[in-house]
Amino acid sequence: MHGRIHPCLTISLAAALLAGCASDSSDGTDNKVTLSIGVFGVFGYKQAGLYDEYEKLNPHVKIKENSTERNEDYYPALLQHLSAGSGLDDIQAVEVSNINELATIQAAKFVDMAKAEGVEESSYLPWKWEQAKAEDGRVIGVGTDIGPMGVCYRKDLFAKAGLPTERAEVGTMWRGDWEKYVDAGETYMKNAPKGTSFMDGAAGLYNGSISSYAEKNYNADGELIYRKSKAVKASWELAMRAIEGKMTARLKQFDTAWDQAYANGTFATVVCPSWMLGYIKEKSGKKGENQWDVAPAPKPANWGGSFLTVPESGKNKDEAVKLAAWLTAPRQQAKLFSAQASFPSSAAALELPEVKGAKHGYFGNAPIGEIFSSAAKGIPTAILGPKDQIIGQNISDVGILQVEQQGKSPEAGWKAAVKKINDAVDE
Amino acid sequence: MTSERLDTAPTAPPQGAVPLPPLRPGPAAGREQRRAARRSRRYQRDARWSPYALIAPFFVFFAAFGLFPLLYTGWASLHRVSLHTPTRMEWAGLHNYTRLLEDEFFWNALRNTFTIGLISTVPQLLMALGLAHLLNYRLHGSMFFRVAMLTPYATSVAAATLVFAMLYGRDFGMINWALGLVGIDSIDWESGTWTSQAAVSTIVIWRWTGYNALIYLAAMQAVPDDLYESAALDGASRWQQFIHVTIPSLRPTILFTVVVSTIGATQLFGEPLLFGGSQTGGASHQYQTLGLYLYEQGWFNYHLGRAAAIAWSMFLILIVIGLLYWLVARRLRKSH
């Protein structure tokens, strides 16, 4: 469900293989309909008891979940099943970084959820709704969760470096511009506690910054413009400034070293979407309790989130649509938020008390419901393109990393990223 | 049961056949004889063909899961085909191959595969030889050591690599910590070209040395004792015995392990993938192997045709290397 579920994967490859082989036999006994739902990572429907609840409400339905650990394994398999027209689950989850590609090249293979019974456009956040829209106006998936971003920071380190520690003050310090976040980094580095950096890595900053723009790698006509795009240029320069100012811990997100740095508290801030809070809590452990806090990001931005789609070739399309609509309805989203902290993509759910009033104990009782809800409402309707994921990944993992970890010049790093992206998008 | 042995069987009647009654020749005896002849013909046919039936399952499976994918990959490599629509193929001739010739990422991966293969295979086999030689002595608990040798091989790549990734960590790795104790600055293992390749090699070496050592050990135990005895009588030291008796006797085994290790090195995939945790093989692809590059092209960039071309190039490279080995082996045999 997360933007990038990364290779912490002793068992996950094997798990993925097994899941890929799992057969989807629908048992025809006693007229029950078995609906299979394909997901990656932990979607939490099972954990939140939503399947059981639906089965109770609809005694003729039985739900079976096929889960693959990583989206990197799940999505290629989905593509293959789509083109073969077999092996598909009745409902298939799709990550936000893949949804545009499917809407561009495979829209006809999915049920138009805009026309589906029980799905109301008005209950979803408008920018989320737009993301799954194909050119002809069909909507191929309904939103599950989203990933509005904040900035998580360590109060203890901030205090030692002479920065404010109150989340309202911290938020005000950089409100409105990512540039100000980097300014704060400069201040931090002047009095930085020994062995610490202001942020984990420059790629996180790049990701946060670029996600707050509407036009990124593609323009509204669908042309690839990343090389001239204002968003890419500004975000890249910010990242370079952070590296030159030595304010990054030179870490790659989701690496083992990144986890270890959480445990040792060697960086003071990290751009964190709502779903990352649980990750931070797990990796920082007891030692980090009440040291971490979360403040609003300079600008509203989104990272991650998924959609539920219903393939046209399914045998139980009508039942599948009903289930997808039910699972993503505001009430269920709120339940999922309470159980699993997946942030709702439904505007209506954001207003429900259990979401709006939510606080996070580990983060000094931060009002996360309020912080992320207000971010969610301000997120721009991003123009997505089919190769967004590849472009973003190569800029981060090749371009930025060459400058940050291998000491190459920004020009050399940028050139290497462009070369790699050209190679990847070239048919 | 070999077919050779069965072929000779019909000359003597199979067990349980009724002995011919010699005293009363008659129609009954003739019938018996004919029946025996028929039985023996059937037996012969059975003996000739049943081995084929017995090995057939292997070849059927090989055709389905070995040969077909190989040919299909070859076919796909001649097309423009994307993972989005694997069924839609557009003829491209040798485009994918000519493209590889100008592809600096491919050459980089080939170079990395070669150097990592070299710095992992050579020390690995040398160490395996030495270890096997030591194990070949009579020593207490030799069984324990033999099993212990095999444990790295039985460890999954994923588990081993995770441990190594932690050992080689830049900020909190054990190796850098140990270097720090003796006053050496910590090394960013993953970022450097040589350091990252060396790190990947050590994982390979760690996993495969024991396996090769056991193969050598098995071969060493087949060397007749009197060779060593006479060498010892001639006054050869242990070391001289190793060089002049053991190594020459092991020549075919060594060639076998070299070939197997070369194949393994060419297909190196899991170790570099898990070491850095991504398919890019480092920020500047400093340890991206051919296997990893294939994976990136096919499963991240969705260029199935190009990935297939890389797979076939790997296959062809292996065939060329195989031919070279064969030539070298023939040379060696002649000079012997």
Side-chain angles (χ1 to χ4, degrees):
Chain A
M1 210 158 209
H2 304 161
R4 307 195 306 188
I5 297 169
H6 249 257
C8 325
L9 63 166
T10 339
I11 42 168
S12 57
L13 283 179
L17 285 173
L18 289 175
C21 304
S23 67
D24 47 345
S25 60
S26 47
D27 56 323
T29 49
D30 53 30
N31 292 330
K32 269 203 174 183
V33 185
T34 303
L35 293 177
S36 60
I37 168 166
V39 301
F40 46 87
V42 178
F43 263 58
Y45 291 139
K46 202 187 286 172
Q47 290 82 346
L50 292 180
Y51 294 149
D52 291 343
E53 194 180 335
Y54 191 80
E55 283 173 358
K56 216 166 273 166
L57 291 171
N58 303 273
H60 66 291
V61 173
K62 218 175 140 318
I63 301 170
K64 195 166 142 276
E65 184 182 278
N66 295 325
S67 173
T68 304
E69 183 84 8
R70 309 195 309 156
N71 190 39
E72 283 92 326
D73 303 314
Y74 170 86
Y75 182 61
L78 173 61
L79 287 174
Q80 281 177 325
H81 292 158
L82 272 177
S83 74
S86 74
L88 288 163
D89 291 313
D90 294 305
I91 295 177
Q92 292 276 358
V94 175
E95 223 267 335
V96 58
S97 52
N98 306 123
I99 193 77
N100 180 272
E101 191 164 55
L102 288 183
T104 310
I105 58 174
Q106 303 275 29
K109 299 215 165 142
F110 294 98
V111 173
D112 183 0
M113 297 302 281
K115 297 207 185 88
E117 200 186 330
V119 175
E120 277 173 46
E121 179 179 346
S122 60
S123 73
Y124 296 92
L125 288 163
W127 59 267
K128 178 84 176 174
W129 181 260
E130 289 295 320
Q131 286 181 330
K133 206 180 244 181
E135 216 167 306
D136 58 1
R138 294 159 57 87
V139 172
I140 65 164
V142 281
T144 56
D145 62 328
I146 55 173
M149 291 194 226
V151 174
C152 295
Y153 66 99
R154 303 248 331 191
K155 279 178 287 197
D156 53 338
L157 297 181
F158 265 39
K160 280 183 203 155
L163 289 176
T165 55
E166 276 305 309
R167 66 181 76 90
E169 257 181 282
V170 171
T172 320
M173 174 169 68
W174 54 53
R175 183 185 298 153
D177 199 342
W178 284 97
E179 195 82 40
K180 291 190 197 162
Y181 171 69
V182 183
D183 291 342
E186 238 152 48
T187 318
Y188 178 91
M189 292 318 286
K190 279 180 199 143
N191 295 305
K194 202 173 165 293
T196 70
S197 314
F198 181 63
M199 64 183 95
D200 56 336
L205 167 64
Y206 177 85
N207 188 22
S209 164
I210 195 161
S211 304
S212 55
Y213 288 86
E215 190 184 77
K216 300 183 276 189
N217 304 319
Y218 290 81
N219 67 13
D221 299 330
E223 289 166 69
L224 191 61
I225 54 148
Y226 78 97
R227 269 193 278 182
K228 286 168 278 179
S229 142
K230 203 179 119 212
V232 174
K233 194 165 186 297
S235 308
W236 172 267
E237 276 165 9
L238 270 183
M240 292 304 121
R241 210 188 120 196
I243 296 171
E244 274 158 25
K246 299 204 185 317
M247 54 183 93
T248 78
R250 301 190 295 137
L251 292 165
K252 197 172 151 211
Q253 296 192 322
F254 299 99
D255 255 5
T256 325
W258 193 59
D259 295 350
Q260 290 168 333
Y262 272 121
N264 292 285
T266 56
F267 57 80
T269 67
V270 55
V271 178
C272 58
S274 48
W275 50 260
M276 202 189 273
L277 265 51
Y279 192 90
I280 295 174
K281 179 182 168 186
E282 184 191 318
K283 298 300 173 190
S284 292
K286 264 259 169 279
K287 241 169 77 185
E289 188 151 23
N290 286 322
Q291 306 295 357
W292 282 103
D293 208 323
V294 52
K299 284 182 186 175
N302 181 67
W303 178 7
S306 299
F307 296 83
L308 292 186
T309 69
V310 177
E312 279 285 358
S313 62
K315 269 176 286 178
N316 311 307
K317 265 191 300 187
D318 294 341
E319 288 288 347
V321 167
K322 265 189 238 164
L323 174 60
W326 186 83
L327 282 174
T328 57
R331 283 247 38 97
Q332 277 63 252
Q333 290 207 4
K335 277 179 204 161
L336 199 61
F337 174 75
S338 301
Q340 289 286 323
S342 300
F343 210 78
S345 68
S346 144
L350 295 183
E351 300 305 327
L352 295 173
E354 61 260 50
V355 178
K356 198 156 193 174
K359 293 195 156 70
H360 201 306
Y362 188 84
F363 287 79
N365 263 334
I368 55 166
E370 222 166 89
I371 292 173
F372 290 123
S373 289
S374 66
K377 286 171 203 155
I379 290 168
T381 306
I383 301 166
L384 299 181
K387 302 291 181 193
D388 274 325
Q389 191 184 17
I390 289 178
I391 296 169
Q393 202 183 3
N394 280 315
I395 289 182
S396 294
D397 292 357
V398 173
I400 292 177
L401 223 52
Q402 285 198 5
V403 182
E404 194 173 24
Q405 295 199 344
Q406 300 186 318
K408 303 212 171 135
S409 71
E411 293 73 37
W414 176 251
K415 259 198 198 148
V418 168
K419 202 179 260 177
K420 196 71 193 166
I421 293 168
N422 283 342
D423 181 61
V425 299
D426 171 35
E427 286 304 318
Chain B
M1 233 200 275
T2 65
S3 60
E4 215 176 327
R5 194 179 303 155
L6 286 174
D7 271 341
T8 59
T11 50
Q15 223 188 2
V18 187
L20 298 178
L23 289 179
R24 241 186 329 151
R31 205 162 53 236
E32 271 305 319
Q33 231 159 8
R34 275 200 304 280
R35 195 186 291 162
R38 205 162 51 236
R39 194 179 295 155
S40 112
R41 266 203 307 280
R42 204 160 54 211
Y43 197 88
Q44 226 165 356
R45 253 203 319 275
D46 180 39
R48 182 161 299 157
W49 296 110
S50 62
Y52 290 103
L54 290 174
I55 54 168
F58 169 78
F59 284 99
V60 169
F61 276 104
F62 173 73
F65 298 106
L67 197 61
F68 173 74
L70 186 72
L71 295 178
Y72 185 80
T73 309
W75 182 241
S77 72
L78 301 174
H79 291 79
R80 234 181 278 272
V81 49
S82 141
L83 187 64
H84 300 124
T85 48
T87 44
R88 201 190 308 145
M89 289 187 169
E90 186 191 324
W91 179 257
L94 289 175
H95 170 78
N96 283 324
Y97 291 93
T98 51
R99 205 184 166 289
L100 279 188
L101 291 180
E102 301 157 12
D103 182 351
E104 58 171 298
F105 299 112
F106 173 75
W107 289 108
N108 172 60
L110 184 61
R111 207 163 41 237
N112 290 345
T113 309
F114 180 75
T115 46
I116 295 177
L118 202 68
I119 57 179
S120 61
T121 307
V122 174
Q124 177 197 138
L125 294 184
L126 289 178
M127 275 162 57
L129 258 182
L131 280 170
H133 183 63
L134 291 178
L135 276 180
N136 203 20
Y137 288 124
R138 279 179 214 291
L139 36 92
H140 289 294
S142 63
M143 199 59 202
F144 167 78
F145 288 112
R146 283 171 204 178
V147 172
M149 293 276 249
L150 213 52
T151 42
Y153 170 67
T155 314
S156 89
V157 198
T161 312
L162 278 179
V163 174
F164 275 90
M166 288 217 239
L167 285 180
Y168 284 110
R170 182 194 63 197
D171 298 332
F172 303 104
M174 276 252 286
I175 296 181
N176 277 345
W177 171 77
L179 288 178
L181 290 184
V182 290
I184 299 174
D185 272 350
S186 63
I187 297 171
D188 191 350
W189 291 95
E190 201 202 325
S191 289
T193 306
W194 282 106
T195 51
S196 61
Q197 295 191 355
V200 171
S201 302
T202 52
I203 308 174
V204 181
I205 293 172
W206 179 80
R207 281 195 73 219
W208 291 91
T209 301
Y211 171 84
N212 285 308
L214 286 191
I215 291 182
Y216 288 146
L217 180 63
M220 278 176 192
Q221 290 180 337
V223 180
D225 275 342
D226 29 335
L227 277 181
Y228 289 107
E229 275 162 28
S230 45
L233 282 178
D234 290 343
S237 67
R238 288 279 197 191
W239 174 247
Q240 282 168 325
Q241 289 175 22
F242 178 67
I243 294 294
H244 297 291
V245 179
T246 312
I247 298 284
S249 320
L250 249 52
R251 205 171 273 162
T253 315
I254 292 173
L255 189 69
F256 168 77
T257 55
V258 168
V259 170
V260 170
S261 306
T262 308
I263 293 175
T266 310
Q267 298 173 338
L268 195 62
F269 173 69
E271 286 88 347
L273 172 68
L274 294 163
F275 175 67
S278 88
Q279 75 289 349
T280 54
S284 49
H285 319 293
Q286 66 270 23
Y287 55 88
Q288 186 174 49
T289 57
L290 281 175
L292 215 48
Y293 185 53
L294 185 164
Y295 182 57
E296 183 182 34
Q297 284 296 348
W299 272 257
F300 284 84
N301 300 343
Y302 307 133
H303 302 315
L304 278 191
R306 219 181 289 169
I310 300 170
W312 259 80
S313 306
M314 284 165 73
F315 184 62
L316 295 177
I317 290 168
L318 275 177
I319 288 184
V320 169
I321 296 178
L323 281 176
L324 282 177
Y325 281 160
W326 178 70
L327 284 176
V328 171
R330 217 173 53 158
R331 262 275 164 78
L332 281 176
R333 242 195 328 269
K334 273 191 183 150
S335 69
H336 199 48

